[in-house]
């Protein structure tokens, strides 16, 4: 044996080991799932090499996983006849963590009180063996003829040793786990068997414990639907995803023409909390005639359907297809587009027949699904599957489709209206929405920032343009009648004379505000509030402007029109003041205050100092008036 060289584990490995060894106890058994899964990956890689014609050491060895128990030295050994590792590979693979998102993962585990579920669902890999091992010895012989066998050993504390072995080893990897005293339960054959049945039953290579085959090796996705029980589907799903709950949906399709493929797909009940931090971890497993070609293939489904898990297997792809050229393969692309349509059609059926089920789906996976606004090929199907909250919904949790909205549009209504804001309450108390409420026109409430990007990208639904209430055309609204005549209760009109004064007041207000606004005009849309800011017809909505300004600091806020409600009490009072003295200081202060309040309503008030000092001044004055007034009342 050559002398062993010592290496230190990378910092993040040490952190992971520390968490695994000290904070987890209940999920220790998954170490076996992880070792078997690595063995199975190594066998898949070997099979892949053989099918593409590479020369391998010991080609006669069967592809299998064997587990042996040694009660004397209190160890178990997991061996495979897979691809193996050479010196460089073992040093790198079993000393670092290559995965993206590891940092976040470690943080999540450290922050969580019960890490069992997180660990259980996330493949933590080889290092989990140190939950049960006081020492681990890995011997490996790579499939390449020129490579020498190697040995790796560690107690998982801070360092590991690697040496070249002079022993003649067969191809593959053996992992000897010397168990800690409190982990001796894993020396029992029945215990190992039950773990394998629970977590590794669908591994597609035979697993032997003490020479007895334990797992059922079958490609369940290739079998006829009628022969598979619900329990088998659920078991397979849990095996595939490490989810502890059964899936919400199971889609099992067998297509023969024009291209043959089988797909077994699942939609999880809960959204995957790792999706955003571990974006690489989605995709379907691609098989060709039951041989795994690629784990987590990202091209069979677009990213916005990344919540779908499962397997696709085709007879029509060549076994020696290379992963790199998959995307250029015509058959592969046809399979991919058919898999995508299968999922979209399934969702459409579900939306039609199971409203509650679809709403649950939307709550969990809607956030990811919405990103599909870039899928132009499936635009129509995508649009029908979208859901939004609306002013007609009972609360912020209810959602409706655009089809429903269109089905209950009012007579003469030509547009679909939407409003955006930080939450539903803010949207419903936005002055812009008053006329819509008054006329009984439904408004989509967009409070997820992505919603407005979606709406902007789709532009219209059927023949109806999607329009922000901020940009709604007052004339178009005039043509839409209110539900009840009484709600349009006529406010006392301004006299002819007052109308003239009102026009002059507006001109004065424009002069006061100067360049801050494009114009000051009488409002046709306000019912209660005194004033609001309006973009000029097709300008951007304030939310879109904010999004754009976040990405490009150069963009200046666009100038808006200030609309004044002549029926509002404050405006009427202001008109009285104006009639007495058109240069009264109060007109200037109230005009400015109205402008700042409108900015505030739109979330656009960047410098609140002037606004608050004026507001304080008015509160102070009105409280003095109030004291005077109540004193007077008491005296009388
Ligand atoms: N039995 C084995 N045969 C060959 N290579 C192995 C074996 N076990 C581990 N490896 C190598 O070590 C690497 C690290 O393994 P580890 O289990 O830590 O992570 P992983 O398998 O990449 O990811 P996962 O967390 O999904 O298991 C593997 O990617 C593989 O290259």
């Amino acid at each position: 044996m050559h002398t062993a060289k010592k290496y230190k584990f990378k910092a993040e490995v040490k952190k992971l080991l520390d968490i695994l060894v000290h904070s987890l106890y209940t999920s220790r058994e998954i170490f076996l799932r992880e070792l078997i899964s690595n063995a199975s990956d190594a066998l898949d890689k070997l099979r892949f090499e053989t099918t593409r014609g590479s020369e391998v050491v010991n080609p006669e060895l069967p592809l299998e996983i064997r587990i042996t128990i040694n009660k004397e030295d209190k160890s178990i050994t997991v061996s495979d006849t897979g691809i193996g590792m050479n010196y460089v590979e073992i040093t790198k693979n079993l000393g670092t963590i290559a995965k993206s998102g590891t940092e976040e993962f470690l943080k999540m585990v450290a922050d969580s009180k019960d890490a069992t579920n997180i660990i259980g669902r996330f493949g933590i890999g080889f290092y989990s063996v140190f939950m049960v091992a006081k020492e681990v010895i890995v011997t490996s012989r790579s499939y390449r003829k020129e490579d020498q066998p190697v040995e790796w050993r560690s107690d998982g504390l801070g360092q590991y040793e690697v040496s070249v072995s002079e022993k003649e080893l067969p191809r593959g990897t053996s992992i000897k786990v010397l168990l800690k005293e409190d982990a001796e339960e894993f020396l029992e054959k029945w215990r190992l068997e039950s773990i394998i049945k629970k977590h590794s039953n669908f591994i597609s290579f035979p697993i032997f414990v003490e020479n007895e085959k334990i797992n059922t090796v079958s490609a369940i996705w290739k079998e006829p639907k009628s022969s598979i029980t619900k329990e088998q589907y659920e078991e397979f799903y849990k095996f595939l995803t490490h989810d502890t709950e059964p899936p919400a949906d199971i889609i099992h399709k067998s297509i023969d023409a024009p291209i043959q493929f089988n797909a077994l797909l699942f939609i999880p009940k809960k959204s995957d909390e790792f999706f955003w931090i571990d974006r690489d971890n989605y995709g379907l497993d691609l098989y060709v005639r039951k041989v795994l070609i690629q784990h987590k293939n990202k091209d069979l489904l677009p990213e916005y359907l990344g919540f779908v898990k499962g397997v696709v297997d085709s007879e029509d792809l060549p076994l020696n297809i290379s992963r790199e050229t998959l995307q250029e393969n015509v058959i592969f692309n046809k399979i991919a587009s058919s898999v995508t349509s299968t999922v979209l059609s399934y969702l459409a059926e579900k939306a039609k027949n199971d409203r509650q089920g679809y709403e649950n789906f939307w709550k969990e996976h809607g956030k990811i699904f919405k990103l599909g606004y870039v899928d132009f090929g499936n635009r129509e199907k995508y649009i029908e599957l979208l859901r939004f909250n609306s002013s007609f919904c009972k609360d912020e949790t209810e959602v409706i489709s655009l089809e429903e909205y269109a089905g209950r549009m009012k007579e003469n209504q030509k547009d679909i209206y939407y409003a955006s804001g930080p939450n539903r309450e803010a949207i419903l108390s936005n002055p812009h929405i008053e006329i819509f409420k008054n006329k009984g026109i439904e408004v989509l409430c967009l409070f997820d920032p992505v919603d407005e990007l979606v709406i902007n990208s789709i532009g219209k639904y059927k023949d109806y343009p999607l329009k922000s209430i901020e940009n709604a055309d007052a004339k178009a609204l005039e043509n839409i009648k209110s539900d009840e005549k009484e709600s349009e209760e006529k406010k006392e009109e301004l006299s002819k004379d007052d109308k003239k004064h009102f026009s002059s007041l507006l001109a004065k207000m424009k002069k006061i505000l100067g360049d801050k606004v494009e114009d000051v005009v009488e409002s046709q849309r306000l019912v209660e509030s005194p004033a609001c800011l309006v973009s000029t017809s097709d300008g951007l909505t304030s939310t879109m402007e904010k999004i754009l300004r976040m990405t490009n600091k150069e963009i200046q806020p666009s100038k808006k029109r200030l609309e004044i409600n002549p029926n509002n009490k404050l405006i009427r009072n202001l008109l009285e003041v104006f009639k007495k003295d058109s240069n009264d200081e109060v007109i200037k202060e109230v005009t400015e205050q109205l402008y700042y309040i409108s900015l505030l309503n739109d979330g656009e008030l960047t410098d609140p100092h002037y606004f608050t000092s004026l507001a304080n001044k008015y509160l102070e004055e009105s409280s003095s008036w109030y004291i005077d007034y109540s004193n007077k009342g008491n005296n009388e």
Side-chain angles (χ1 to χ4, degrees):
M1 165 90 65
H2 290 264
T3 41
K5 200 165 167 206
K6 290 196 166 89
Y7 296 88
K8 283 204 171 88
F9 283 121
K10 285 260 154 41
E12 72 268 22
V13 178
K14 268 206 242 155
K15 230 193 279 175
L16 178 64
L17 283 169
D18 193 54
I19 292 171
L20 291 176
V21 175
H22 293 112
S23 53
L24 295 163
Y25 191 84
T26 46
S27 55
R28 293 200 304 175
E29 67 177 33
I30 61 154
F31 87 91
L32 192 60
R33 176 189 80 189
E34 299 295 318
L35 294 186
I36 291 175
S37 144
N38 282 347
S40 166
D41 287 349
L43 289 162
D44 271 322
K45 286 180 194 158
L46 185 89
R47 186 155 61 180
F48 187 73
E49 287 303 329
T50 335
T51 49
R52 72 206 289 222
S54 308
E55 209 187 322
V56 304
V57 175
N58 306 122
E60 73 292 348
L61 284 179
L63 302 185
E64 61 190 22
I65 301 165
R66 285 187 178 267
I67 301 172
T68 52
I69 301 171
N70 183 339
K71 291 208 172 172
E72 263 153 44
D73 66 1
K74 304 213 163 66
S75 73
I76 59 171
T77 302
V78 180
S79 312
D80 64 68
T81 48
I83 198 160
M85 288 173 274
N86 65 18
Y87 191 100
V88 175
E89 287 162 342
I90 210 166
T91 312
K92 181 173 158 284
N93 292 342
L94 307 185
T96 55
I97 304 176
K99 268 210 200 107
S100 60
T102 311
E103 286 268 316
E104 287 89 340
F105 167 70
L106 287 174
K107 198 172 161 304
M108 209 187 274
V109 177
D111 291 349
S112 154
K113 280 206 187 68
D114 177 20
T116 320
N117 194 32
I118 302 181
I119 297 274
R121 285 172 57 195
F122 194 89
I124 26 164
F126 171 76
Y127 302 104
S128 60
V129 73
F130 287 105
M131 294 194 285
V132 299
K134 59 179 182 214
E135 189 178 8
V136 178
I137 304 165
V138 183
T139 46
S140 193
R141 167 81 175 95
S142 143
Y143 75 104
R144 297 181 209 93
K145 277 216 161 74
E146 65 277 16
D147 288 337
Q148 283 176 291
V150 284
E151 187 179 296
W152 178 105
R153 57 166 76 211
S154 174
D155 55 9
L157 291 177
Q159 49 184 13
Y160 57 100
E161 283 178 21
V162 188
S163 57
V164 171
S165 162
E166 268 149 23
K167 277 186 228 152
E168 261 308 305
L169 291 178
R171 182 197 69 225
T173 303
S174 259
I175 299 178
K176 181 168 183 165
V177 184
L178 290 131
L179 294 164
K180 290 180 184 172
E181 257 166 46
D182 66 356
E184 286 174 12
E185 63 190 281
F186 300 110
L187 289 172
E188 300 303 327
K189 184 171 174 238
W190 67 266
R191 180 79 174 99
L192 299 181
E193 269 183 45
S194 77
I195 302 172
I196 292 168
K197 284 230 166 354
K198 184 164 158 202
H199 296 295
S200 312
N201 206 20
F202 293 95
I203 288 285
S204 52
F205 301 95
I207 305 172
F208 296 87
V209 178
E210 297 284 86
N211 293 323
E212 192 192 331
K213 187 165 153 252
I214 306 297
N215 60 330
T216 345
V217 183
S218 78
I220 168 172
W221 58 89
K222 293 277 264 184
E223 300 192 9
K225 261 174 159 176
S226 55
S227 71
I228 308 169
T229 63
K230 190 165 163 261
E231 287 70 31
Q232 280 172 311
Y233 276 130
E234 292 183 357
E235 220 186 297
F236 180 67
Y237 166 76
K238 288 180 183 174
F239 159 75
L240 200 69
T241 59
H242 301 173
D243 198 346
T244 46
E245 280 191 71
D249 300 86
I250 302 169
I251 311 168
H252 191 177
K253 277 259 164 190
S254 172
I255 311 270
D256 288 316
I259 290 165
Q260 191 288 331
F261 73 89
N262 293 66
L264 177 52
L265 311 173
F266 301 94
I267 303 178
K269 265 196 191 135
K270 293 261 169 278
S271 167
D272 188 348
E273 66 238 65
F274 303 119
F275 189 82
W276 303 104
I277 56 167
D278 191 17
R279 291 283 274 269
D280 277 348
N281 200 20
Y282 80 93
L284 303 177
D285 290 347
L286 174 68
Y287 286 78
V288 172
R289 277 164 261 168
K290 297 193 196 173
V291 174
L292 181 68
I293 300 297
Q294 192 176 22
H295 244 320
K296 308 216 155 104
N297 174 289
K298 312 255 178 307
D299 301 309
L300 281 164
L301 277 179
E303 191 177 355
Y304 75 99
L305 299 177
F307 51 83
V308 177
K309 315 279 177 188
V311 170
V312 173
D313 191 336
S314 173
E315 309 250 326
D316 290 346
L317 285 168
L319 255 177
N320 60 354
I321 190 162
S322 101
R323 289 170 209 165
E324 292 70 36
T325 55
L326 266 179
Q327 264 176 296
E328 291 150 30
N329 185 295
V330 181
I331 297 176
F332 174 80
N333 284 324
K334 286 198 174 144
I335 295 174
S337 85
S338 175
V339 172
T340 305
S341 321
T342 302
V343 173
L344 293 174
S345 309
Y346 175 85
L347 289 174
E349 276 299 299
K350 185 176 171 104
K352 205 162 82 193
N353 304 324
D354 173 14
R355 186 175 179 120
Q356 187 55 48
Y358 191 77
E359 276 185 19
N360 293 344
F361 156 78
W362 188 256
K363 229 173 266 159
E364 285 299 323
H365 304 294
K367 259 195 178 340
I368 296 174
F369 184 85
K370 283 179 202 170
L371 302 179
Y373 63 86
V374 289
D375 183 1
F376 299 104
N378 289 299
R379 178 143 279 214
E380 264 167 48
K381 285 185 185 166
Y382 165 79
I383 291 176
E384 293 295 350
L385 290 169
L386 286 171
R387 293 294 177 269
F388 298 97
N389 186 256
S390 102
S391 57
F392 281 14
C393 294
K394 62 178 188 318
D395 58 31
E396 77 277 1
T397 62
E398 199 184 330
V399 285
I400 61 152
S401 65
L402 290 172
E403 187 187 13
E404 271 169 273
Y405 183 108
R408 58 194 188 205
M409 275 165 73
K410 297 192 60 114
E411 209 184 320
N412 293 332
Q413 185 181 343
K414 300 264 182 337
D415 301 302
I416 291 178
Y417 292 105
Y418 67 89
S420 36
N423 54 51
R424 185 176 149 96
E425 280 72 49
I427 292 170
L428 295 183
S429 52
N430 181 333
H432 290 283
I433 212 167
E434 289 171 4
I435 189 164
F436 293 87
K437 278 192 197 155
N438 201 247
K439 291 193 176 244
I441 304 170
E442 185 165 19
V443 175
L444 301 177
C445 302
L446 315 184
F447 36 85
D448 178 354
V450 182
D451 283 342
E452 203 167 346
L453 291 175
V454 171
I455 289 277
N456 270 295
S457 146
I458 61 181
K460 60 181 190 175
Y461 172 69
K462 302 217 160 123
D463 287 333
Y464 311 116
L466 295 151
K467 251 203 151 107
S468 159
I469 58 165
E470 289 181 37
N471 300 338
D473 176 16
K475 288 229 171 57
L477 292 176
E478 233 168 64
N479 294 332
I480 306 172
K481 293 231 162 37
S482 302
D483 287 334
E484 297 151 36
K485 272 273 156 274
E486 304 85 74
S487 73
E488 251 182 302
E489 143 200 351
K490 280 269 168 254
K491 291 268 171 8
E492 208 183 308
E493 287 256 341
L494 291 175
S495 69
K496 234 182 171 179
D497 217 28
D498 277 354
K499 272 191 180 152
K500 263 199 224 143
H501 289 302
F502 184 62
S503 296
S504 316
L505 172 63
L506 295 179
K508 171 87 186 173
M509 290 170 112
K510 164 69 182 134
K511 213 165 149 200
I512 292 167
L513 294 172
D515 275 353
K516 291 196 188 93
V517 292
E518 205 177 79
D519 204 357
V520 180
V521 297
E522 177 176 343
S523 180
Q524 306 295 334
R525 75 185 76 220
L526 291 173
V527 181
E528 304 283 339
S529 305
C532 71
L533 282 163
V534 180
S535 318
T536 34
S537 198
D538 281 328
L540 294 169
T541 64
S542 32
T543 316
M544 265 324 269
E545 245 192 60
K546 261 178 267 165
I547 294 177
L548 287 178
R549 262 186 281 138
M550 258 189 279
T551 51
N552 185 352
K553 299 263 179 300
E554 304 284 290
I555 297 176
Q556 291 296 317
S558 67
K559 242 191 259 169
K560 294 184 178 167
R561 208 167 54 211
L562 185 68
E563 289 196 0
I564 303 291
N565 176 6
N567 300 319
N568 174 276
K569 182 90 170 94
L570 169 62
I571 302 299
R572 293 273 166 118
N573 288 346
L574 199 64
L575 189 60
E576 286 310 306
V577 176
F578 181 76
K579 280 184 344 198
K580 279 203 188 106
D581 174 5
S582 63
N583 288 320
D584 195 314
E585 188 63 10
V586 164
I587 297 170
K588 178 171 176 285
E589 288 178 353
V590 171
T591 302
E592 282 173 339
Q593 201 65 347
L594 286 171
Y595 170 72
Y596 288 121
I597 290 174
S598 305
L599 277 182
L600 189 62
N601 271 331
D602 289 351
E604 292 281 343
L605 185 62
T606 42
D607 180 7
H609 295 100
Y610 184 64
F611 164 73
T612 43
S613 66
L614 255 174
N616 285 336
K617 181 181 156 209
Y618 274 80
L619 283 173
E620 192 184 307
E621 281 173 9
S622 58
S623 59
S624 304
W625 292 333
Y626 178 71
I627 291 170
D628 286 352
Y629 171 77
S630 46
N631 283 346
K632 241 190 232 159
N634 286 341
N635 293 341
E636 272 163 18

